[in-house]
Amino acid sequence: MNSSVGTTKRWGRALGAVGAVLLLGSAGVGCGVGGGAPDGWTYVNAHGIAFAVPKDWKTVPAAGLSNGMLAGAVWKQHGDQVGEVQVLSGTKQERPKGVKVKNSADFKLGGKPAAQVSYVYRPSLDGPRLRVLDITARTAQGKPVQVRISGTTSDLTLDTMDRIANSIQVGTIGKGNILKG
């Protein structure tokens, strides 16, 4: 079963900007992924890969995970979900038809090949625009995963998405926030 466990990160690192999310992708994607999380963020473990979210986000319990989802976290405002992080098994990237994306330059995460794609789209004519950041990586055991960070463009800022992407670590965060491979 799922072993999604959060621990609070008590120390931070300087974060480099990953790049701006544009309708056609981003220019500097992938540069800072794996750098660490800001102070006070909570790490979530997902079978060999970990990510961090701000403290007001809630980890999705194992019983609430959909098929193929290894871990997740959501952010709600006034009862409405406005942000989400999902760790999905495999690297199948399902994107809406007609959305143009620009792939990042290849980079390494935990010494393993990784890639990043970002795009913005409107899922329905009357709905809000959604911003999506997909990171494909491999777990500590070498299994392919996709980390999808998404949210409404008016609520989930690009800065928060970049910080979540920068927090991704290959391995598991244990007691004392020690990364285990």
Side-chain angles (χ1 to χ4, degrees):
M1 269 297 137
N2 183 281
S3 62
S4 295
V5 177
T7 57
T8 303
K9 182 135 180 141
R10 292 182 179 86
W11 51 276
R13 291 185 183 175
L15 298 172
V18 173
V21 174
L22 304 171
L23 184 58
L24 298 177
S26 60
V29 293
C31 301
V33 175
D39 287 335
W41 281 33
T42 301
Y43 263 101
V44 179
N45 290 318
H47 303 283
I49 199 158
F51 66 91
V53 291
K55 63 183 175 181
D56 55 344
W57 288 54
K58 303 294 180 215
T59 303
V60 176
L65 298 174
S66 61
N67 191 24
M69 195 167 145
L70 302 174
V74 296
W75 180 41
K76 293 185 178 184
Q77 288 185 327
H78 311 292
D80 295 326
Q81 183 174 312
V82 294
E84 180 176 30
V85 179
Q86 299 176 325
V87 178
L88 307 166
S89 60
T91 57
K92 183 179 179 188
Q93 294 183 6
E94 295 182 23
R95 294 186 198 113
K97 274 193 166 181
V99 171
K100 295 180 182 179
V101 298
K102 183 177 178 186
N103 293 324
S104 73
D106 291 336
F107 63 99
K108 293 198 184 262
L109 183 59
K112 299 170 182 356
Q116 181 174 309
V117 171
S118 46
Y119 54 93
V120 175
Y121 77 105
R122 188 179 309 268
S124 65
L125 293 175
D126 59 344
R129 292 174 10 134
L130 293 179
R131 179 178 288 134
V132 179
L133 186 74
D134 285 333
I135 296 112
T136 55
R138 294 198 171 268
T139 67
Q141 297 80 24
K143 295 180 182 174
V145 294
Q146 179 180 10
V147 180
R148 176 168 283 170
I149 307 163
S150 62
T152 58
T153 58
S154 61
D155 296 305
L156 183 58
T157 66
L158 180 58
D159 181 59
T160 300
M161 292 179 80
D162 286 344
R163 288 174 184 242
I164 293 169
N166 278 328
S167 75
I168 297 170
Q169 302 289 324
V170 174
T172 302
I173 304 297
K175 188 174 181 177
N177 301 312
I178 304 298
L179 180 66
K180 301 173 188 173

